[in-house]
């Protein structure tokens, strides 16, 4: 929802952006962040980020990454990790990458080393042999969900770096669902298990 220029006495709160107060706020942000600077929003989100991270292999410039980043922002994950090519298509993120900490890892080995140091269990999401159903699995609280490219899925190196592997139950004819959709489903499964839902505002 777009809001116009600020009405009434000018706020003294430093979190407010003078330009947005003057011109109006057309951003897709929740009401509590209206007129705030990007920096103020990020600082506030940082105080409540979840112990969930998301990682995506990016060897072929996957167009799903933007969608995954947007969903990661909605669930306020601790960070998004791009493995492989540094550049990725930001269009699908709808500028939400401004509010999410996006990190880059040159390869799976460096990503896995980071996860170990951070104390996060790497959970692969792919319908590979040995995967367990997401629907009947409890995801670790301190976790990073690892997704492969659209089509080929996780590389063998990425699969070996995972402590566990989950798959989303499917009942149709296609072998796999869209990577962005799979990421949204899995992140929401973690949210249902571990997030404080009493803090959600509508």
């Amino acid at each position: 929802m777009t809001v116009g220029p600020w009405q009434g006495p000018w706020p003294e709160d430093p979190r407010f952006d003078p330009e947005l107060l003057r011109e109006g706020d057309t951003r897709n942000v929740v009401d509590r962040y209206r007129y705030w600077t990007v920096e103020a929003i990020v600082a506030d989100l940082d105080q409540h980020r979840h112990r969930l991270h998301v990682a995506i292999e990016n060897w072929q410039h996957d167009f799903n990454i933007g969608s995954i980043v947007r969903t990661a922002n909605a669930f306020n994950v601790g960070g998004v990790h791009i493995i492989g090519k540094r550049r990725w298509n930001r269009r699908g993120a709808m500028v939400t990458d401004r509010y999410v900490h996006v990190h880059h890892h040159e390869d799976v080995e460096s990503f896995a080393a980071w996860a170990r140091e951070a104390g996060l269990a790497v959970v692969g999401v792919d319908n590979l042999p040995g995967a367990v159903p997401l629907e009947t699995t409890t995801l670790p609280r301190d976790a990073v969900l690892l997704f492969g490219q659209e089509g080929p899925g996780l590389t063998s190196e990425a699969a070996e770096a995972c402590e566990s592997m989950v798959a989303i139950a499917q009942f149709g004819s296609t072998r796999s669902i869209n990577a962005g959709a799979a990421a949204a489903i899995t992140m929401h499964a973690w949210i249902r298990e571990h997030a404080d839902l009493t803090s959600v505002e509508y």
Side-chain angles (χ1 to χ4, degrees), residues 43-88:
D44 191 67
L45 290 172
D46 283 347
Q47 298 183 45
H48 311 285
R49 293 200 190 272
H50 292 120
R51 284 289 291 169
L52 174 68
H53 287 244
V54 178
I56 314 104
E57 290 191 283
N58 184 36
W59 310 115
Q60 305 169 358
H61 293 300
D62 195 330
F63 289 101
N64 287 283
I65 293 177
S67 173
I68 293 172
V69 169
R70 184 176 182 183
T71 304
N73 167 258
F75 295 135
N76 200 24
V77 304
V80 174
H81 302 261
I82 311 297
I83 304 169
K85 296 182 183 293
R86 182 178 294 273
R87 295 183 61 185
W88 54 280

Side-chain angles (χ1 to χ4, degrees), residues 132-139 166-171 185-186 189 193:
V132 297
L134 172 66
E135 295 75 17
T136 58
T137 302
T138 298
L139 295 169
V166 297
I168 298 167
Q170 297 175 209
F171 303 90
I185 291 169
T186 314
E193 293 175 11

Side-chain angles (χ1 to χ4, degrees), residues 169-185:
Q170 297 175 209
F171 303 90
S173 62
T174 57
R175 179 185 179 278
S176 62
I177 62 176
N178 173 271
I185 291 169

Side-chain angles (χ1 to χ4, degrees), residues 1-187:
M1 181 184 73
T2 297
V3 293
W6 181 267
Q7 302 295 317
W10 206 255
E12 297 182 0
D13 191 326
R15 294 175 296 185
F16 285 94
D17 185 320
E19 182 177 348
L20 293 176
L21 291 171
R22 189 168 50 249
E23 304 293 334
D25 193 345
T26 62
R27 301 172 302 175
N28 181 20
V29 296
V30 296
D31 289 344
R32 68 178 304 225
Y33 292 140
R34 286 294 178 195
Y35 303 108
W36 283 29
T37 66
V38 170
E39 295 76 15
I41 294 173
V42 171
D44 191 67
L45 290 172
D46 283 347
Q47 298 183 45
H48 311 285
R49 293 200 190 272
H50 292 120
R51 284 289 291 169
L52 174 68
H53 287 244
V54 178
I56 314 104
E57 290 191 283
N58 184 36
W59 310 115
Q60 305 169 358
H61 293 300
D62 195 330
F63 289 101
N64 287 283
I65 293 177
S67 173
I68 293 172
V69 169
R70 184 176 182 183
T71 304
N73 167 258
F75 295 135
N76 200 24
V77 304
V80 174
H81 302 261
I82 311 297
I83 304 169
K85 296 182 183 293
R86 182 178 294 273
R87 295 183 61 185
W88 54 280
N89 190 306
R90 286 172 164 75
R91 181 175 298 179
M94 302 291 287
V95 305
T96 55
D97 53 304
R98 298 179 183 178
Y99 310 103
V100 178
H101 297 296
V102 180
H103 310 275
H104 176 255
H105 304 272
E106 291 187 1
D107 50 35
V108 172
E109 183 179 4
S110 60
F111 160 74
W114 167 83
R116 285 194 299 271
E117 185 174 344
L120 299 175
V122 179
V123 180
V125 183
D126 205 338
N127 52 0
L128 294 173
V132 297
L134 172 66
E135 295 75 17
T136 58
T137 302
T138 298
L139 295 169
R141 177 181 176 273
D142 299 337
V144 51
L145 304 175
L146 177 56
F147 299 89
Q149 292 276 183
E150 181 73 23
L154 289 172
T155 62
S156 57
E157 184 181 9
E160 291 175 5
C162 297
E163 296 183 30
S164 60
M165 186 79 63
V166 297
I168 298 167
Q170 297 175 209
F171 303 90
S173 62
T174 57
R175 179 185 179 278
S176 62
I177 62 176
N178 173 271
I185 291 169
T186 314
M187 279 188 263

